[in-house]
Amino acid sequence: MKRWMAALPLAGLAGLAVLGAGQLLAPEKPGFDEADKRLAPDRFFPRLLGQGELGFSPPPSGQTIAVNLFASWCGPCRAEHPLLIELAARHEGQVFGLAYKDAREDTLQFIDELGNPYADIGVDAGGQGGLDFGLTGVPETFIIDAGGMIVLHVRGPLDAQTVEEISGLLSE
């Protein structure tokens, strides 16, 4: 009887490990609904390439855009990058990047190595701009309509389903 009681804490620990592994392997992405819509931050970021600053409220192109917050040190950012290249090819000039808390040289190397899907890239070296967007962790993608309203916030890396959802919004 005593051996059985000693196994209870181990069984409980094993159960928690299984639950934790399930969340890590297939985390549930919180939904985005009408109540989550808000104006994009009225902030300007230095451009990674070229001179001047880049802002997203209203969008620089005057049409609905996707703003992907990424970093060279982020593994999931590397994983989603081919999907961003595909999305940018379908919607030329509508996919923008924001390098979050990344060294300029590292961001340039990341883009050089994997390709540059972005119409333009802002630099958020200090991270406050990402927080203003509502960033919870890179990568995240925000869809901003022509009026400067965030109409979709994708937490975590893109997948085929979210690319289709984003593509539909960029086509409107």
Side-chain angles (χ1 to χ4, degrees):
M1 182 78 160
K2 289 185 180 180
R3 274 192 234 180
W4 181 80
M5 295 292 279
L8 279 178
L10 290 175
L13 186 59
L16 287 174
V18 168
L19 287 173
Q23 283 297 308
L24 287 173
L25 295 174
E28 185 178 322
K29 292 183 180 179
F32 189 88
D33 58 32
E34 214 45 50
D36 296 321
K37 290 184 177 181
R38 63 192 182 285
L39 282 173
D42 187 20
R43 173 181 283 274
F44 290 90
F45 303 93
R47 284 187 158 89
L48 179 68
L49 305 168
Q51 302 295 315
E53 294 181 320
L54 178 63
F56 302 110
S57 181
S61 62
Q63 58 187 337
T64 300
I65 62 168
V67 179
N68 176 252
L69 281 73
F70 72 98
S72 65
W73 45 263
C74 164
C77 297
R78 285 184 175 275
E80 78 171 358
H81 206 79
L83 291 171
L84 284 166
I85 289 174
E86 173 191 321
L87 184 66
R90 289 164 59 182
H91 302 281
E92 190 174 331
Q94 290 180 271
V95 178
F96 291 79
L98 185 58
Y100 179 75
K101 288 189 172 183
D102 207 2
R104 178 181 171 79
E105 302 77 31
D106 294 340
T107 303
L108 289 168
Q109 183 178 359
F110 179 86
I111 295 300
D112 192 45
E113 178 185 336
L114 300 177
N116 185 356
Y118 306 113
D120 205 347
I121 303 170
V123 176
D124 184 19
Q128 186 58 50
L131 296 176
D132 291 349
F133 263 99
L135 179 74
T136 59
V138 290
E140 290 189 8
T141 304
F142 297 84
I143 309 307
I144 303 171
D145 70 12
M149 186 72 65
I150 296 174
V151 295
L152 181 65
H153 175 185
V154 179
R155 292 169 179 87
L158 300 177
D159 57 27
Q161 181 181 346
T162 54
V163 166
E164 288 307 313
E165 183 178 3
I166 292 168
S167 185
L169 291 169
L170 295 178
S171 295
E172 292 178 356

